[in-house]
Amino acid sequence: MTNPVTGSVLVAGGGIAGIQASLDLANSGYHVYLVETKSSIGGVMAQLDKTFPTNDCSMCIMSPKLVEVGRHKNIEILTLADIQDVQGEKGNFTVKIRQRPRYVDPDKCIACGVCTQTCPSKVDDSYNAGLGKRKAIHVLYPQAVPLKYVIDAEHCFKLTKDKCGICAKKCPKGAINYDDTEKQLTLNVGALILAPGFDTFDASKLVAYGYGKTPNVVTSIEFERLLSASGPTQGHVQRNDGKEPKKIAWLQCVGSRDINRAENGHCSSVCCMYAIKEAIITKEHGADVDCSIFYMDMRTHGKDFEACYNDAKDKHGINFIRTRVHSIIPDMKTGDLELSYIDDDGKLLKSMFDMVVLSVGMQTPPELVQLAGSMNVALTPGNFCQTGSFSPVSTSRDGIYVCGAFQGPKDIPQSVVEASSAAMCAGADLAAARNTLIKQDKPISERNVTGERPRVGVFVCHCGHNIGGVVDVPGVRDYARDLPYVEYVADNLYSCSQDTQDVMAKMIEEHQLNRIVVAACSPKTHEPLFQETLTAAGINKYLFEFCNIRNHVSWVHKDDPQAATEKSKELVRMAVAKVACLAPLQEAELEINQAAMVIGGGLAGMTAAKGLASQGYQVHLVERETQLGGQARNLYHTWRGEDVQAELAEMVKTIESSPEITVHTGTALTHVDGFVGNFVSSLEKDGQTQRIKHGVAIIATGAKGYTPNEYLYGKDPRVLTHHELDARFIADDASLAKMKTAVFIQCVGSREPGHPYCSRVCCTHTVESAIRLKERNADMKVFVLYRDIRTYGERELLYTKARELGVIFIRYGLDGKPQVVAGDKGLEITVKDHILNRPVTITADLLTLATAIESYRDEKLAQMFKVPINEDGFFLEAHVKLGPSDFATDGVFLAGMAHYPKPVDEAVAQGQAAVSRATTLLARERVRISGNVAYVDPRDCSSCGTCVDVCPYNAPNFITDGPFAGRSEINPMLCKGCGLCVASCRSGAINLRGFEQNQLMVQIMEAI
């Protein structure tokens, strides 16, 4: 790199991937330009109703991130902006930006909405997928960031006809500027991250489905808006004629897996899961609704997705029909829709439905294809960004990275992983310039409220229709006004939106509030957001109480609004009573040890170690085996055709030669002490113990292959696992080319009791291996016996290629598994052909079993770091959607197959993502410990030791000297505030700050 390194990064795209990448970079010491083509950030996720399998409100979990981006000193949001040109090289790019006029001065706009109320021009609302109307002057959605109005120049009467102008007359701040003009900006950045998202397939191109012409045929995005409480029908699903549908069909693969359209030959990865989600939510709205999903292969390959699929069938009664619907014929009188399709027995069937939802796929819009061309960024045949399996977010142009759906079709968790991965790569490039361009927050002095009479502010949230559709929110607000110590009350459409946070800070100052109660949704996702608002307003963050009237009230009592309202009032009354008793708490501040430990020397672990070292951190890489590489040592090629062994050898060489990395092979981790920023781990090798100090840890311990006890495995040498076949490929076994017939059996040990999940990689591995066999011998007969082919994303192109080469795919059911018998002429494999509807017997020279990937179920390691594992033995991330590389335990991060089965590219990406998440902590150099910790009054302690025995974090211990020797004390640095010791203390000597006995008792008394 010849040019000087610039400590800023341009992130193109304001969806969830762009937001995550921006936050990681800004929190790691870089200035970020977040460039978004629309007037606000948020992307498609802002349009979704809920996310599965967590069943979280999409905007509820996203709002805190939106507000954090909007507040961040080191993130500069440029909306209505398009990249025009990129010149330069890694470390020093010059980017030209065109910023279209907003016609509203964002510095003056206070988002009061007066302009929208008076605007006479109505336009199709793009946020609601055209199902409703908005005004020419508008914000995209209520929680938009930045929450600044914009004028749609094409539909504004003033700008098109020089008439009206009423918004300028009504605006109380004079924010309207009809003379606003386009701006040309030139930015100097060290790296670029492309996260522009995707476009959905235009379903009107499929004439047989009648979209756009036939009423009651809607797309999946439109149906999301119908389901959403913030949508045009406030969550009430209805047809265009107002009728509530009682029978709804979902048609899969609309604009995906289309062999007649080259640009749509891929699988869009998310459609099966979102159709299941929409059907389940529909059933929750009305249990009597008949929901049917028409599909080719059910691709629920993500973590917990298979369980969701099974629940949809078994618990919710959703019908799954494997077929391709030929056409939709509308009844012109009733508006009902007739579907024609062929069932498994070859019969032509016709069914009537009230509504049809087209599960439209992802594709790259033409303007992005053009932009990639102008930037010299290579694309795949499907017009997604070209990357490699060992560099999954690196584009063909050095210094430019990609994440999200522009890299390839994917779901939210993988988009978040890649966002952090891209942030790590950009950060590694610019490590020399870290902290050179950042702005520091000015210290805010905390108001001393000691001795003040409690002055409580209560904010009650409508959460759109989520709460307000059930609970009488104004009634709860008015009830709170008369409670003791309450000085200010308000109800807000969305309390988590940026404007409400600003209002809250203003009201704290104006009314001299010293305690706050928010009645809204879940503290798990939103409490830090509101606490930060208190801190910014000069109030101790612990003088705050969250009251969950969404999960605990509106969602569980949706059929009884009166009782829900009364319960909300009681919960608010209890919260006000408790908050009045709260006292300010202090947080200890500690230095973060700048070393890191990575546990696991497979691909994810080595990637993590390499990434940390590239940013100057010392790394201890711990591997229990005597050599690095993990399961990658058994792999031949990736699905893209890269030589795994060659890449692995190069990676091991880099790791072992790095001065920043200390490799501990043949080593066991035996004990862990300490806490975030200050861990001390004990390593044992050859009977010798070494203690290592480190600030963070990354768990990348991998997974293993299931050893089958069926299909003659272990009894006949002609029956192999995938790894054993790959070993023969690696050895270039000449006998493979001489074989006449080879068979693969899928889901061996997967999607069955014991391993009820999909192992994600098996289908692609099989298809890739089948192609390798056909390439060695074109005359070889190759059969794949499968339940569902799950070649998601552009892996679908491999599936297409295999069929073109003559690989034969035969589907079987769980109740009709193949039978294998050893014969003189070969292995005799009998399976019922789903097309012939009769058993067929294949005589094979080789049988390869696609076996499950199973966890190590390392409960000892989980206990050491106080991190959870799920029922399948895989480690449980902090949040399945927004925290896939984090643990709830601070300072510990997750990567690779220890999280869930995944292919090489995804394991590498998550290894990089874990580094990015760890770097946001290491870069701070200091960390604050929560004030919600337990403490002991030694005068009441009976020295029973129960607290020492029950604490999972080893926080309590015995005082060794002084007047209270032998009594208990608690290390606040280790305490996580779980309260287990408080509940177990026999003498009542232990209390938990923020949950003191008197604070809990006043709540209880108010509930009586």
Side-chain angles (χ1 to χ4, degrees):
M1 191 184 302
T2 58
N3 288 339
V5 178
T6 303
S8 61
V9 180
L10 186 148
V11 177
I16 187 59
I19 288 170
Q20 185 65 54
S22 298
L23 287 171
D24 276 11
L25 285 162
N27 290 328
S28 297
Y30 301 100
H31 180 79
V32 178
Y33 296 101
L34 179 53
V35 178
E36 169 57 45
T37 60
K38 295 180 180 178
S39 61
S40 301
I41 61 174
V44 173
M45 192 170 171
Q47 294 179 281
L48 304 183
D49 177 38
K50 292 182 181 179
T51 62
F52 262 42
T54 59
N55 203 26
D56 284 322
C57 169
S58 179
M59 276 309 303
C60 285
I61 63 173
M62 193 176 180
S63 280
K65 284 189 178 289
L66 289 171
V67 176
E68 185 180 359
V69 168
R71 284 174 169 171
H72 210 294
K73 296 287 186 183
N74 296 305
I75 299 177
E76 188 174 340
I77 302 175
L78 300 174
T79 55
L80 298 169
D82 305 296
I83 297 174
Q84 299 294 293
D85 185 50
V86 178
Q87 298 294 329
E89 60 184 42
K90 180 170 72 174
N92 199 336
F93 288 104
T94 299
V95 184
K96 292 184 178 179
I97 303 286
R98 176 177 69 99
Q99 189 171 33
R100 286 162 279 132
R102 182 178 285 269
Y103 301 107
V104 177
D105 187 337
D107 294 328
K108 295 180 179 179
C109 178
I110 58 172
C112 63
V114 171
C115 55
T116 281
Q117 295 169 11
T118 58
C119 177
S121 176
K122 294 184 178 181
V123 185
D124 285 342
D125 186 357
S126 58
Y127 173 66
N128 279 314
L131 298 177
K133 296 289 185 181
R134 62 161 170 81
K135 300 295 184 69
I137 186 167
H138 64 286
V139 287
L140 279 182
Y141 55 97
Q143 298 112 304
V145 172
L147 194 64
K148 306 295 181 181
Y149 278 74
V150 61
I151 294 178
D152 184 342
E154 293 182 6
H155 298 93
C156 173
F157 295 152
K158 177 65 177 178
L159 293 175
T160 57
K161 301 177 181 179
D162 197 24
K163 296 181 179 180
C164 188
I166 190 170
C167 57
K169 298 174 185 176
K170 295 290 185 180
C171 179
K173 295 296 182 178
I176 309 301
N177 178 16
Y178 298 124
D179 296 325
D180 198 5
T181 57
E182 183 179 287
K183 298 177 181 66
Q184 298 294 329
L185 308 176
T186 300
L187 307 178
N188 179 226
V189 299
L192 287 84
I193 294 177
L194 305 180
F198 63 94
D199 198 3
T200 53
F201 175 74
D202 180 3
S204 65
K205 293 180 179 179
L206 300 180
V207 179
Y209 290 164
Y211 175 74
K213 296 181 180 180
T214 302
N216 307 319
V217 177
V218 300
T219 67
S220 45
I221 293 293
E222 291 170 344
F223 197 74
E224 287 281 343
R225 298 313 304 149
L226 291 175
L227 287 173
S228 177
S230 64
T233 58
Q234 296 184 319
H236 299 293
V237 178
Q238 60 187 48
R239 308 195 319 174
N240 73 319
D241 57 7
K243 175 184 174 183
E244 291 189 4
K246 295 300 182 183
K247 195 174 182 183
I248 305 175
W250 278 260
L251 307 191
Q252 300 308 102
C253 299
V254 177
S256 299
R257 303 183 67 186
D258 191 340
I259 60 174
N260 297 313
R261 300 174 186 272
E263 69 277 15
N264 300 112
H266 58 274
C267 164
S268 291
S269 298
V270 302
C271 318
C272 286
M273 194 59 202
Y274 75 57
I276 291 173
K277 176 198 76 169
E278 290 177 351
I280 290 175
I281 296 173
T282 301
K283 295 286 282 188
E284 290 174 348
H285 284 219
D288 59 338
V289 181
D290 186 323
C291 297
S292 298
I293 297 177
F294 294 81
Y295 71 102
M296 294 194 292
D297 291 286
M298 187 48 57
R299 293 186 168 174
T300 48
H301 47 271
K303 191 173 186 178
D304 294 329
F305 286 5
E306 187 75 9
C308 190
Y309 170 38
N310 291 331
D311 284 349
K313 290 185 295 183
D314 303 333
K315 294 183 180 180
H316 298 281
I318 294 168
N319 306 309
F320 288 85
I321 304 167
R322 191 190 294 266
T323 189
R324 186 74 165 170
V325 173
H326 174 269
S327 57
I328 300 174
I329 307 298
D331 186 313
M332 303 309 293
K333 293 183 179 179
T334 64
D336 294 344
L337 305 163
E338 182 184 85
L339 271 58
S340 300
Y341 58 95
I342 304 293
D343 70 2
D344 266 354
D345 295 326
K347 297 178 182 177
L348 175 64
L349 300 178
K350 296 182 179 182
S351 297
M352 298 298 296
F353 291 88
D354 299 321
M355 179 179 279
V356 172
V357 181
L358 304 180
S359 294
V360 289
M362 298 180 179
Q363 62 183 21
T364 303
E367 58 269 23
L368 284 186
V369 175
Q370 184 177 355
L371 175 64
S374 68
M375 295 173 64
N376 295 319
V377 169
L379 301 181
T380 67
N383 286 331
F384 296 98
C385 210
Q386 189 177 91
T387 60
S389 296
F390 292 87
S391 52
V393 296
S394 299
T395 71
S396 58
R397 186 170 178 180
D398 202 16
I400 300 181
Y401 303 96
V402 64
C403 57
F406 188 37
Q407 192 269 355
K410 57 182 57 68
D411 57 9
I412 294 168
Q414 190 59 28
S415 293
V416 172
V417 164
E418 287 180 2
S420 292
S421 173
M424 187 237 95
C425 292
D429 290 347
L430 311 182
R434 177 182 285 130
N435 295 325
T436 58
L437 296 178
I438 63 170
K439 301 175 184 176
Q440 298 289 350
D441 286 326
K442 294 180 180 179
I444 299 171
S445 58
E446 184 177 298
R447 198 172 100 216
N448 185 358
V449 301
T450 304
E452 287 186 9
R453 175 185 180 275
R455 298 179 61 84
V456 181
V458 178
F459 296 83
V460 187
C461 186
H462 289 261
C463 197
H465 203 66
N466 263 316
I467 296 172
V470 177
V471 176
D472 177 9
V473 171
V476 176
R477 174 205 62 200
D478 294 341
Y479 175 80
R481 182 178 285 113
D482 297 325
L483 294 174
Y485 304 117
V486 172
E487 299 292 332
Y488 177 81
V489 297
D491 63 303
N492 314 103
L493 184 61
Y494 293 100
S495 294
C496 58
S497 65
Q498 190 174 24
D499 66 320
T500 302
Q501 299 301 297
D502 295 339
V503 168
M504 188 179 296
K506 183 179 179 181
M507 292 302 103
I508 288 173
E509 181 180 359
E510 186 174 315
H511 295 272
Q512 288 296 290
L513 305 178
N514 54 27
R515 286 162 177 79
I516 296 295
V517 170
V518 173
C521 50
S522 171
K524 180 180 179 181
T525 53
H526 285 63
E527 187 171 55
L529 170 67
F530 291 103
Q531 288 183 326
E532 186 178 336
T533 299
L534 265 67
T535 300
I539 301 296
N540 186 278
K541 64 188 277 188
Y542 294 99
L543 298 175
F544 171 77
E545 186 68 13
F546 211 124
C547 182
N548 189 346
I549 62 170
R550 184 194 67 177
N551 303 48
H552 296 169
V553 181
S554 66
W555 281 5
V556 293
H557 303 295
K558 61 182 179 180
D559 296 326
D560 194 345
Q562 184 175 350
T565 300
E566 290 305 311
K567 183 177 179 180
S568 296
K569 292 177 181 178
E570 291 180 4
L571 290 175
V572 169
R573 184 174 72 244
M574 294 165 66
V576 169
K578 180 187 175 186
V579 81
C581 297
L582 293 180
L585 303 180
Q586 301 306 312
E587 296 180 334
E589 191 175 65
L590 296 172
E591 290 188 2
I592 299 174
N593 186 301
Q594 295 295 288
M597 178 172 285
V598 178
I599 304 147
L603 278 180
M606 288 194 295
T607 299
K610 183 179 173 184
L612 285 161
S614 69
Q615 300 189 62
Y617 297 108
Q618 291 295 314
V619 186
H620 293 273
L621 178 59
V622 182
E623 169 56 46
R624 58 188 153 211
E625 301 292 336
T626 56
Q627 58 181 321
L628 299 173
Q631 296 295 344
R633 299 200 308 268
N634 302 314
L635 300 179
Y636 177 47
H637 280 180
T638 70
W639 72 273
R640 290 187 174 98
E642 298 111 326
D643 187 332
V644 174
Q645 297 309 303
E647 295 282 356
L648 181 62
E650 183 63 30
M651 184 177 287
V652 171
K653 181 180 178 182
T654 300
I655 293 290
E656 293 180 339
S657 63
S658 173
E660 285 83 16
I661 302 174
T662 302
V663 179
H664 305 268
T665 51
T667 302
L669 177 67
T670 58
H671 189 74
V672 177
D673 287 319
F675 43 88
V676 55
N678 294 270
F679 292 105
V680 181
S681 296
S682 298
L683 304 180
E684 186 175 299
K685 180 178 182 179
D686 299 330
Q688 301 294 315
T689 299
Q690 181 182 9
R691 287 172 65 81
I692 303 293
K693 295 180 179 180
H694 54 102
V696 298
I698 295 176
I699 293 178
T701 48
K704 60 183 178 179
Y706 165 70
T707 302
N709 54 13
E710 51 194 317
Y711 300 127
L712 300 183
Y713 180 76
K715 301 175 182 178
D716 193 303
R718 294 168 293 187
V719 183
L720 309 176
T721 64
H722 260 314
H723 282 172
E724 291 165 345
L725 177 60
D726 271 19
R728 294 176 70 170
F729 280 135
I730 293 169
D732 198 19
D733 188 339
S735 67
L736 293 176
K738 299 176 182 178
M739 294 182 178
K740 296 180 180 179
T741 304
V743 175
F744 295 82
I745 299 179
Q746 300 305 104
C747 296
V748 178
S750 288
R751 303 174 64 192
E752 295 183 12
H755 304 101
Y757 50 88
C758 168
S759 292
R760 194 172 179 93
V761 303
C762 320
C763 286
T764 303
H765 199 161
T766 287
V767 171
E768 196 265 340
S769 295
I771 291 172
R772 297 293 175 195
L773 290 175
K774 292 292 283 187
E775 288 174 344
R776 277 170 165 73
N777 180 359
D779 295 327
M780 186 187 305
K781 296 179 181 178
V782 180
F783 297 85
V784 176
L785 314 184
Y786 72 99
R787 291 173 60 191
D788 290 282
I789 291 294
R790 294 181 169 178
T791 47
Y792 59 93
E794 291 194 290
R795 292 164 174 80
E796 179 70 13
L797 305 182
L798 278 184
Y799 182 30
T800 301
K801 180 180 179 180
R803 298 198 307 274
E804 290 172 348
L805 290 175
V807 177
I808 298 172
F809 292 82
I810 301 175
R811 177 163 48 85
Y812 74 89
L814 192 57
D815 55 351
K817 295 170 67 173
Q819 302 297 314
V820 180
V821 177
D824 295 336
K825 296 182 179 180
L827 295 165
E828 294 182 356
I829 304 162
T830 302
V831 64
K832 182 179 180 181
D833 187 292
H834 63 282
I835 295 176
L836 299 176
N837 199 25
R838 55 172 289 182
V840 296
T841 299
I842 305 164
T843 302
D845 305 305
L846 178 71
L847 173 61
T848 303
L849 307 180
T851 57
I853 294 174
E854 59 183 6
S855 69
Y856 286 114
R857 200 174 284 276
D858 200 336
E859 295 179 356
K860 183 179 178 182
L861 180 62
Q863 180 59 34
M864 287 182 196
F865 282 105
K866 310 302 184 294
V867 295
I869 58 176
N870 67 10
E871 59 186 11
D872 298 318
F874 295 102
F875 285 97
L876 196 61
E877 62 274 50
H879 193 282
V880 67
K881 296 294 183 184
L882 301 185
S885 302
D886 296 68
F887 281 112
T889 300
D890 293 335
V892 189
F893 305 92
L894 176 62
M897 292 202 296
H899 168 246
Y900 187 70
K902 60 195 59 176
V904 167
D905 51 352
E906 293 176 15
V908 170
Q910 198 173 19
Q912 293 173 335
V915 171
S916 182
R917 302 300 301 139
T919 303
T920 63
L921 185 62
L922 292 170
R924 286 156 49 186
E925 298 185 353
R926 300 185 70 83
V927 64
R928 288 182 174 273
I929 304 299
S930 172
N932 292 125
V933 294
Y935 67 96
V936 181
D937 185 343
R939 295 170 299 180
D940 295 331
C941 178
S942 62
S943 302
C944 68
T946 301
C947 57
V948 176
D949 294 335
V950 302
C951 179
Y953 304 102
N954 303 318
N957 54 71
F958 293 112
I959 300 171
T960 56
D961 52 26
F964 296 113
R967 310 266 176 106
S968 178
E969 66 177 354
I970 292 175
N971 184 342
M973 306 306 173
L974 294 176
C975 180
K976 298 299 179 184
C978 69
L980 196 56
C981 60
V982 181
S984 303
C985 182
R986 299 169 183 175
S987 57
I990 308 180
N991 256 308
L992 179 62
R993 301 191 192 279
F995 298 88
E996 306 272 0
Q997 182 173 334
N998 67 312
Q999 295 161 359
L1000 298 179
M1001 288 306 299
V1002 296
Q1003 279 190 294
I1004 293 170
M1005 293 304 295
E1006 291 295 337
I1008 296 176

